[in-house]
């Protein structure tokens, strides 16, 4: 970890630092409630609600709400504790694995839908009724936007929150406890 974060952490009691950093989750959930409320009020004020709810913009904005809430919650926690984002996480990325990550992602996105359909059909025999999933119609731009808003952005935000802020904020409890708390 960066020296600035360690210095900041040693000035405070470990438990106090833990509460402050892990408060990012609470802040993110509060932000989600407000963002969803504002989005709902704006949507309800439109004249042609049904047409907007079927639009690509509405579908992508709906998925984007969680990511923007996580960003706002983490940002609030970092700003309040005067910590720079990269000082809060211990992240090292080896660019050699980019091709592997891209291939796994594309294979999962385009290749696992049949496997998913098989599992859903098995569960439907036991009474499972799946929710209707709304994704935009497939066009090159919609596929790219869907990948960003449904897969990439939520994953990055969630990892930053749980593996960055909460894991580093609870390390004083010991490695196993910190992993269990951040995974929970």
């Amino acid at each position: 970890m960066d020296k600035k974060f360690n210095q900041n952490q040693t000035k405070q009691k470990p438990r106090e630092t833990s509460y402050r950093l892990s408060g990012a989750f609470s802040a993110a959930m509060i932000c989600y409630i407000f963002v969803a409320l504002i989005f709902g009020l704006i949507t309800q004020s439109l004249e042609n609600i049904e047409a907007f709810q079927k639009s690509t913009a509405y579908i992508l904005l709906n998925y984007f709400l969680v990511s923007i809430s996580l960003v706002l919650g983490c940002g609030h926690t970092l700003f309040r504790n005067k910590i720079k984002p990269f000082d809060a996480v211990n992240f090292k990325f080896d660019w050699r694995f980019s091709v592997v990550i891209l291939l796994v992602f594309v294979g999962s996105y385009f290749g696992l839908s049949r496997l998913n359909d098989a599992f859903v059909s098995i569960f439907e025999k036991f009474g499972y009724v799946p929710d209707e999933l709304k994704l935009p119609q497939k066009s090159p731009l919609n596929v790219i936007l869907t990948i960003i808003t449904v897969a990439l952005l939520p994953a990055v935000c969630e990892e930053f929150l749980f593996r960055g802020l909460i894991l580093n904020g609870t390390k004083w409890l010991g490695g196993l406890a910190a992993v269990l708390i951040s995974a929970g």
Side-chain angles (χ1 to χ4, degrees):
M1 260 195 274
D2 198 340
K3 291 179 184 178
K4 289 181 183 178
F5 182 71
N6 284 334
Q7 289 171 353
N8 193 15
Q9 197 171 16
T10 56
K11 289 179 186 175
Q12 301 170 350
K13 297 176 185 175
R15 189 173 283 179
E16 182 180 332
T17 303
S18 172
Y19 292 141
R20 288 183 177 194
L21 289 179
S22 59
F25 180 76
S26 300
M29 293 304 102
I30 291 169
C31 285
Y32 178 72
I33 292 168
F34 284 117
V35 168
L37 179 66
I38 291 168
F39 183 69
L41 290 172
I42 291 170
T43 303
Q44 292 299 318
S45 69
L46 297 174
E47 290 181 19
N48 197 353
I49 298 172
E50 285 126 17
F52 180 66
Q53 288 176 339
K54 292 178 184 177
S55 71
T56 300
Y58 177 81
I59 294 169
L60 293 176
L61 282 171
N62 235 349
Y63 285 111
F64 190 67
L65 291 179
V66 174
S67 298
I68 197 70
S69 301
L70 290 175
V71 168
L72 291 173
C74 291
H76 173 265
T77 301
L78 292 173
F79 179 76
R80 185 171 175 222
N81 293 297
K82 298 177 182 134
I83 300 171
K84 294 179 182 173
F86 290 107
D87 292 343
V89 294
N90 187 10
F91 180 74
K92 296 176 184 172
F93 182 74
D94 189 350
W95 289 101
R96 294 178 293 173
F97 296 111
S98 303
V99 175
V100 174
I101 292 169
L102 184 64
L103 290 173
V104 168
F105 174 73
V106 169
S108 299
Y109 187 77
F110 293 106
L112 293 179
S113 63
R114 288 189 184 136
L115 183 62
N116 185 47
D117 292 343
F119 278 113
V120 169
S121 67
I122 290 170
F123 291 137
E124 284 175 337
K125 292 178 183 177
F126 293 103
Y128 173 72
V129 179
D131 292 335
E132 182 182 335
L133 180 63
K134 294 181 180 180
L135 291 176
Q137 293 182 352
K138 289 185 180 176
S139 73
L141 180 62
N142 284 349
V143 168
I144 291 169
L145 289 173
T146 301
I147 289 170
I148 291 170
T149 58
V150 175
L152 186 65
L153 205 56
V156 169
C157 293
E158 181 182 330
E159 288 301 314
F160 183 80
L161 173 67
F162 288 103
R163 306 305 172 256
L165 298 179
I166 294 175
L167 180 66
N168 285 327
T170 56
K171 278 187 177 177
W172 67 275
L173 294 170
L176 181 62
V179 168
L180 291 175
I181 289 170
S182 71

